[in-house]
Amino acid sequence: QSALTQPASVSGSPGQSITISCTGTGNDIGAYKYVSWYQQYPGRVPKLIIYEVNNRPSGVSNRFSGSKSGNTASLTISGLQAEDEADYYCSSHAKRGTDHLVFGGGTKVTVL
Amino acid sequence: QLHLQESGPGLVKPSETLSLTCSVSGESITSADSHWGWVRQPPGQGLEWIGSVAYSGYTYYSPSLKSRITISADASKNQFSLKVRSVTAADTAVYYCAREYSSAPAYWGQGTLVTVSS
């Protein structure tokens, strides 16, 4: 059981926008700006696509955007493309006694 | 250019200790404010953060694994290591090392599959 809760799957048609939610608690997402998102293709290494809630590393498409409200973070993919079909994970800094990171269980994005 | 590479046995027997090393090139593991971590992914499952070591040598551990893991750094070799004690089949996973920025694993190694089996 993951510390952060994500929907198992989200789907959309090419060109549409989809949003993936990531729900935590006041000890992680609600307390820190350190929310990140990762994209992972089958058999490949995860890739950081969003850090500090809404920042994109160099080279990441601006079709990816992040936000946070309370204990829930969100990743929005705009102008959905076939290449966006992948697994997406959120993570957050957390503190329950000690500082650590927690991941969500992952969301499979399907492009219809 | 930053490069990380995991190394270690691909097969470990139950109840024994899993040991992995991450060799880093392109940056010193003692560079200011740097954090170096481990993430694992069981076959067909999601990502799990294991822990990290800071440039200072301070370590951070997952609360769920804390009792069984040790992460350490060797500045002279520009490497950091992971040990997981008393392993079971549930520890079978691809283990990744990573350079963390702002509490986010940003640069990842290619990963190494460790299977726990007799």
Side-chain angles (χ1 to χ4, degrees):
Chain A
Q1 186 174 359
S2 302
L4 305 179
T5 301
Q6 298 180 234
S9 63
V10 173
S11 62
S13 299
Q16 285 186 330
S17 293
I18 62 169
T19 297
I20 302 169
S21 62
C22 173
T23 301
T25 70
N27 292 319
D28 39 65
I29 292 176
Y32 301 98
K33 68 174 184 177
Y34 300 112
V35 178
S36 307
W37 291 89
Y38 309 83
Q39 177 190 59
Q40 186 181 34
Y41 295 110
R44 303 296 296 274
V45 177
K47 175 187 176 181
L48 178 68
I49 57 173
I50 295 287
Y51 67 97
E52 291 183 3
V53 177
N54 57 10
N55 292 287
R56 286 186 305 275
S58 174
V60 173
S61 172
N62 59 10
R63 298 185 299 103
F64 295 96
S65 62
S67 63
K68 186 185 89 160
S69 178
N71 296 338
T72 299
S74 299
L75 173 71
T76 296
I77 308 176
S78 304
L80 197 63
Q81 299 180 2
E83 65 196 50
D84 299 329
E85 186 161 298
D87 294 323
Y88 292 83
Y89 296 89
C90 60
S91 76
S92 174
H93 187 92
K95 186 159 188 172
R96 295 180 188 87
T98 59
D99 292 285
H100 57 282
L101 296 186
V102 290
F103 277 99
T107 297
K108 170 66 176 177
V109 168
T110 301
V111 181
L112 301 172
Chain B
Q1 183 166 344
L2 183 60
H3 182 72
L4 298 93
Q5 180 67 58
E6 305 88 352
S7 59
L11 182 64
V12 181
K13 290 182 169 56
S15 80
E16 295 190 344
T17 296
L18 178 162
S19 296
L20 295 174
T21 296
C22 183
S23 298
V24 179
S25 60
E27 182 179 4
S28 169
I29 64 169
T30 60
S31 62
D33 298 325
S34 63
H35 287 69
W36 307 88
W38 292 94
V39 176
R40 70 181 184 180
Q41 185 171 33
Q45 297 184 42
L47 302 172
E48 180 182 20
W49 185 78
I50 300 170
S52 65
V53 57
Y55 65 101
S56 60
Y58 194 86
T59 52
Y60 302 85
Y61 294 145
S62 165
S64 64
L65 295 170
K66 183 177 181 179
S67 63
R68 296 196 295 127
I69 62 174
T70 300
I71 296 174
S72 59
D74 186 338
S76 67
K77 297 180 178 180
N78 215 38
Q79 296 174 336
F80 60 104
S81 300
L82 169 69
K83 292 185 185 299
V84 182
R85 296 176 290 278
S86 304
V87 296
T88 70
D91 295 305
T92 294
V94 174
Y95 285 75
Y96 297 99
C97 61
R99 193 336 183 163
E100 296 180 357
Y101 286 98
S102 293
S103 285
Y107 291 95
W108 299 62
Q110 287 302 302
T112 186
L113 176 62
V114 179
T115 301
V116 178
S117 175
S118 56

